Amino acid sequence: MADTLIGRRRSILQETRCQTCSLSSLCLPLALEVDDMDQFDAIIRRRAPLKKGEALFRQDTPFSSVFAVRSGSLKQVTTEGSGEDQLTNFYLPSELVGLDGIDEQHYPGTVVALETTTVCEIPFDRLDHLAESMPELRGQLYRSMSKELRDDRRMMRLLSRKTADQRLASFFTSLSERFRRRGYSPYSFRLSMARADIGNYLGLAVETVSRILGRFQTQGLVAVSGREVNILDLPALTRLAEEEGAH
Amino acid sequence: MADTLIGRRRSILQETRCQTCSLSSLCLPLALEVDDMDQFDAIIRRRAPLKKGEALFRQDTPFSSVFAVRSGSLKQVTTEGSGEDQLTNFYLPSELVGLDGIDEQHYPGTVVALETTTVCEIPFDRLDHLAESMPELRGQLYRSMSKELRDDRRMMRLLSRKTADQRLASFFTSLSERFRRRGYSPYSFRLSMARADIGNYLGLAVETVSRILGRFQTQGLVAVSGREVNILDLPALTRLAEEEGAH
DNA sequence: ATGGGACCATGACCACGATCAAGAAGGAAA
DNA sequence: TTTCCTTCTTGATCGTGGTCATGGTCCCAT
């Protein structure tokens, strides 16, 4: 009875079940059997959609859950002692937020919605408990963390070896690829983040981002209008992104 | 009988058992009960010590094990398409190498010994199998990966916001702290890596590393002679490391 | 509609650190 | 030892991208 009530409430709010989620092929439960997925379903918690600018959680609050992005997008920002904010990541649907909080048992940054965003909350202790009996889930969890490690290394490479143009080109090709994998157009999309966010993320001043976007435009690589982006020459952009160093 | 033979051979070669390893309080088996530690012991494999310059594994070879550093130190280097090598990490005793290979099932970089180095090989499938029945081990594994994520984010911050001086200062304070945690002097140590490695890691030209080391010297922050380092004013160095941006 | 604030574009200038160049010092092998 | 090669230091120059400054544009609330 309690089950049906909960079931009812969920389906009224919005579909929460992984089995019918269009992201399931990219998300954590990937590779789970139907039975396992039901169990997994049972532990995830829906949260009310976040409005633009709202925080999913704040830096230094105790770690308790990881979150899978269902729709929308978020940014992670860390503030350190004397310094300015540093934007360390953007999260798109199916990506897992909060994994870097496990070690110290608090979140190392504030995660903020860039637009209206829904997430699935996955209490970590229950996730771990399930993982005990589900090798597939365990593997997927390792893989998520491992992937994030690899992505971080890519980012370090970008930050330490690429010119401003190459950084912007990487940013666009990476976004393009992530949209493609999620079934959206890899050529035409809307940026949910401000120029300042892009600059902060890429280690560039806002002005530089603007200037280079302008240059890309005149070079016929992309057409940018506000936050609408049309990628006109993806191969050229990819080439640029994969170059490194001065010239 | 086989047991005793193996046991004998091990203790002749060198002590491999976690229980008597001086690093056990920092390493993976941290927090394991005695019984569990025995099981853990049983799956790790000793490798012949690596000589300076030898590779533990090479980029793109299939992932099979993670490695715990027992003594010595290593660097991880990734080569990408057209680009130059990028040094993404230094590993010290008790640290875990290879975790970023899980996702794509091959190692994303070549790991090379900076000096004579011994490691414990931990076959990942067996580690995962043990983790199934040992929540503590599982937790420790998550924590290791999570910590690496956090460290990576710190590195990104360094690369995108810090000046050359601040980077060098961070590098020294970080090394100092890592030595301290391992029971070595935090003030006096020997660098196992070349200036070029430091520069590559920090996103600086070798020449810049040299120059700034010189400057640190005249400022009385450190005394450097070749690869011997004496930290003279750790507080000042720490202050510098924690600053950010231009002035 | 209109005003105000955030966001974005563009110009002028300058500094940090890369690059080029040369030489010194360290270290391994004969 | 001497040789040779790698590693390190120091100097001179230059370019990318940061900073400062200004004006334009978008968007939202009233």
Side-chain angles (χ1 to χ4, degrees):
Chain A
M1 194 185 108
D3 267 331
T4 48
L5 263 178
I6 291 171
R8 171 105 40 83
R9 193 200 273 145
R10 271 190 181 155
S11 57
I12 289 169
L13 239 176
Q14 200 164 337
E15 188 51 71
T16 314
R17 301 181 56 225
C18 295
Q19 289 164 57
T20 55
C21 175
S22 61
L23 296 167
S24 63
S25 65
L26 296 167
C27 192
L28 247 198
L30 162 65
L32 291 192
E33 302 292 331
V34 178
D35 298 0
D36 288 350
M37 211 184 276
D38 279 339
Q39 286 195 63
F40 182 81
D41 254 337
I43 68 165
I44 77 172
R45 290 205 284 250
R46 160 156 300 279
R47 311 256 296 203
L50 294 163
K51 286 199 283 285
K52 177 175 174 174
E54 255 186 292
L56 176 58
F57 52 72
R58 303 201 164 274
Q59 183 165 355
D60 297 329
T61 54
F63 170 81
S64 58
S65 301
V66 295
F67 301 85
V69 183
R70 177 168 269 265
S71 70
S73 54
L74 309 105
K75 61 176 174 182
Q76 177 169 60
V77 178
T78 60
T79 315
E80 211 172 66
S82 52
E84 272 180 38
D85 287 353
Q86 162 77 3
L87 205 165
T88 49
N89 230 336
F90 293 111
Y91 294 102
L92 296 189
S94 90
E95 293 174 339
L96 232 42
V97 183
L99 288 171
D100 45 6
I102 298 174
D103 176 40
E104 300 213 317
Q105 288 294 303
H106 58 248
Y107 298 105
T110 297
V111 170
V112 175
L114 291 168
E115 57 196 310
T116 302
T117 295
T118 58
V119 300
C120 300
E121 175 171 3
I122 311 171
F124 189 75
D125 50 355
R126 308 188 67 180
L127 174 60
D128 177 54
H129 183 252
L130 268 193
E132 187 165 301
S133 57
M134 296 185 196
E136 306 299 344
L137 181 59
R138 218 159 53 229
Q140 196 56 29
L141 189 53
Y142 297 143
R143 243 166 285 138
S144 292
M145 300 184 81
S146 178
K147 177 172 185 327
E148 219 169 326
L149 283 175
R150 270 191 314 103
D151 289 347
D152 285 356
R153 304 285 152 88
R154 282 233 321 278
M155 194 64 193
M156 290 184 204
R157 189 179 196 102
L158 177 146
L159 290 171
S160 73
R161 312 207 85 81
K162 292 191 180 178
T163 65
D165 309 29
Q166 291 157 1
R167 293 183 198 194
L168 257 301
S170 298
F171 181 69
F172 280 129
T173 53
S174 159
L175 268 188
S176 168
E177 171 61 15
R178 285 156 88 187
F179 283 128
R180 198 190 56 69
R181 289 207 59 201
R182 283 165 184 76
Y184 300 112
S185 166
Y187 299 111
S188 176
F189 46 85
R190 183 170 215 295
L191 301 170
S192 58
M193 68 292 283
R195 301 283 189 277
D197 290 333
I198 300 176
N200 190 325
Y201 179 61
L202 296 177
L204 298 172
V206 202
E207 295 92 325
T208 306
V209 176
S210 261
R211 269 187 262 273
I212 291 175
L213 252 48
R215 202 183 309 156
F216 279 3
Q217 187 117 267
T218 67
Q219 292 171 330
L221 295 174
V222 295
V224 184
S225 166
R227 295 192 177 181
E228 285 309 324
V229 175
N230 270 285
I231 296 190
L232 302 177
D233 191 345
L234 187 55
L237 217 50
T238 305
R239 252 177 284 126
L240 184 53
E242 285 170 356
E243 278 178 26
E244 262 175 36
H247 47 160
Chain B
M1 192 183 109
D3 267 329
T4 49
L5 265 179
I6 291 172
R8 170 104 42 81
R9 192 199 275 145
R10 271 190 181 157
S11 57
I12 289 169
L13 239 176
Q14 202 163 334
E15 187 51 72
T16 314
R17 301 182 55 225
C18 294
Q19 288 163 59
T20 56
C21 175
S22 61
L23 297 168
S24 63
S25 63
L26 296 167
C27 191
L28 247 198
L30 161 65
L32 291 193
E33 302 292 332
V34 179
D35 298 1
D36 287 350
M37 210 183 280
D38 279 340
Q39 285 196 63
F40 182 80
D41 253 337
I43 68 165
I44 76 172
R45 289 205 285 251
R46 161 156 300 280
R47 310 256 295 204
L50 293 164
K51 286 201 280 286
K52 178 175 174 173
E54 255 186 293
L56 176 58
F57 51 74
R58 303 200 165 275
Q59 184 166 355
D60 297 329
T61 54
F63 170 82
S64 58
S65 300
V66 297
F67 302 85
V69 184
R70 177 168 269 267
S71 69
S73 53
L74 310 104
K75 63 177 173 181
Q76 177 169 60
V77 178
T78 59
T79 314
E80 212 172 68
S82 52
E84 272 180 38
D85 286 353
Q86 161 77 3
L87 205 165
T88 49
N89 229 337
F90 293 112
Y91 294 101
L92 295 189
S94 90
E95 293 174 339
L96 231 43
V97 183
L99 288 172
D100 44 6
I102 298 175
D103 176 39
E104 300 215 317
Q105 288 294 303
H106 58 248
Y107 298 105
T110 297
V111 170
V112 175
L114 291 168
E115 58 196 309
T116 303
T117 296
T118 58
V119 300
C120 300
E121 175 171 4
I122 311 170
F124 190 75
D125 50 356
R126 308 187 67 179
L127 174 60
D128 177 54
H129 183 252
L130 269 192
E132 186 165 301
S133 57
M134 296 185 195
E136 306 298 344
L137 181 59
R138 218 159 54 229
Q140 196 56 29
L141 190 53
Y142 296 144
R143 242 167 285 137
S144 292
M145 299 184 82
S146 178
K147 177 173 186 324
E148 219 169 327
L149 283 175
R150 268 191 316 105
D151 289 347
D152 285 356
R153 305 284 151 89
R154 282 234 320 279
M155 194 64 194
M156 289 184 205
R157 188 179 197 102
L158 177 145
L159 290 171
S160 74
R161 313 206 86 80
K162 293 192 179 178
T163 64
D165 309 29
Q166 292 157 2
R167 293 183 199 194
L168 257 300
S170 298
F171 181 69
F172 280 130
T173 53
S174 160
L175 268 188
S176 168
E177 170 62 15
R178 285 156 87 186
F179 284 128
R180 199 189 56 68
R181 290 206 59 201
R182 284 165 184 75
Y184 300 112
S185 166
Y187 299 111
S188 177
F189 46 86
R190 183 170 214 296
L191 301 171
S192 57
M193 68 290 286
R195 300 282 190 277
D197 290 333
I198 299 176
N200 190 324
Y201 180 60
L202 297 177
L204 298 172
V206 203
E207 295 93 323
T208 306
V209 175
S210 258
R211 270 186 260 275
I212 290 174
L213 252 47
R215 202 184 309 156
F216 279 2
Q217 187 118 268
T218 67
Q219 292 171 331
L221 295 175
V222 296
V224 184
S225 166
R227 296 191 176 181
E228 284 310 323
V229 175
N230 269 286
I231 296 190
L232 302 177
D233 191 346
L234 186 54
L237 218 50
T238 306
R239 251 177 285 127
L240 184 53
E242 284 171 356
E243 278 178 25
E244 262 174 38
H247 48 160

